[in-house]
Structures are given as C-alpha cells and as structure tokens.
Amino acid sequence: MPSFLFIRHLGIGMSTDELVRKLNELSIENSEKEFKEGILPGSVETQGDIVTCKFGFEYELEYETLQGVKRDKALQKIPIHFLRQNFVAFGYGTSDIQEKVLDFLSKIIKDCVLTPLRLEENTLRKILDKARDVRQFDLTPVRRGLERVDRLRCIGREVTDTELWEDYGSEPLAKIKVNLEGIEEATVSFDKRGVITIHQRRFSDAQHAVILNYVAEMILAPYVGKDLQKKLIGDETW
C-alpha cells in the first residue's frame, strides 16, 4: 500500500509547463555524480496543473555470491506529486530517503524550509468529524488501569458509532482510516507522524495524484502547513 508524506511551500514561482521543463532538465541521465540521481526519463506527467514524476537515485548494493561478496549499483524510485494549494506529496521512506527527496525538491522550491508535515491530534479529530465512514482508529491510552496497554485499535465500519469509541474515544488519537467523501472506493489512513496511506493497491500513479490532491485541498489545507518558515537569504541556517 503506497504511503506518502506531504510538504507545503510558499509557491514554486513557475507555470506548469515551466515546472515540467525544469523536471526534465533534472533528469537522472544528466547527473554527473558517481551515484546518479534525478528524475526518471518519461516519468513526468500532468493532469491539468497537477504534475507527477518519479525521482530516482542509485545506491551501492552489497550481496553474497558463491564467489564471495559483490557490490553493484541499484536504483531506488520515489513518486513525487506537485499538487494544488502549494502542496507536494512524495513516497514515504527512511529518513535517508526523505533527506534525498527534500534535497532534490530544494532545487525547485527555493524560498522556504521544506519539512514534512506532522498531524496534530486535533487535526485527526477534525478529519474524523467530517468523514462519512471511519474504518479504523488507533488510540494510545493514558488513563488509569490501561498502563500496560500500548495501543487500542478498532477496525470495521463506522467505528466511531460504537460503544468502544464512546468509552475510549477521548484517549490520545494516533491514527485513523476513513473513506473519502469525494472519491469513490478511496480509503485513506492518516497518522500523527504525517504518513498518509492509500489502502487500495490497484490505483495508478495518475489516480494516486487525484486522491492526494483531494487530501491536500479538502482535508489538509484548512488545518496544516499555514505557518511556513521562509528561508533566510545568505544564511545556511533555516
């Protein structure tokens, strides 16, 4: 199941066509590094003003053979979606992968600090309030008597209309999964780390872009990423 992180920026300062040209200029084929990195050829696509591409980077892969340990170059691919409302979504990965993607994005988005968004508990609860069908909630209880319980999880349909939610719903909320109101058959989870997961495997990259843009415009934009930190010109500290 594909998972994504989001960032919000102050604006790219270029049109969709200019962004497409810039991404193609940053092709991995033009990389002069020993381990090449950049946009994969043929991966840049548009849906109106939404731009989708794949960022790739080479890394050293070590593996054992009958002749001993060998090393070779492997390729990691990360989807990136430039969405409306100044949001960018990119594939979730390790902290090293996140750092590589953010470093690449800084070549395009130059005027603000690029930090993956986290979701506060009150934001998760606002999403719950607007959802037509809540499929899962995860709680990290703190009340007396539940000291040994790390997490309470409820999975089903309309799970906030249950006695379990009525009894424990005030406990700290860590994750939710909901059906999206505006997109048929799209079930999406949100956790407090900011990881947003689409729970259908059959969707294409283009469909992912539509779902992620809906999440950005209809769910995230009203609540998160409004206080953006502008990069100081001539100062390496952000």
Side-chain angles (χ1 to χ4, degrees), residues 214-226:
Y214 180 92
V215 168
E217 287 196 299
M218 305 304 295
I219 298 175
L220 298 183
Y223 308 125
V224 301
K226 293 182 178 181

Side-chain angles (χ1 to χ4, degrees), residues 34-54:
E34 178 184 359
F35 291 89
K36 294 179 178 293
E37 60 181 51
I39 296 301
L40 299 180
S43 70
V44 182
E45 299 180 350
T46 61
Q47 295 184 78
D49 54 356
I50 299 171
V51 180
T52 295
C53 61
K54 279 192 172 68

Side-chain angles (χ1 to χ4, degrees), residues 3 117 224 232:
S3 296
L117 297 171
V224 301
L232 299 178

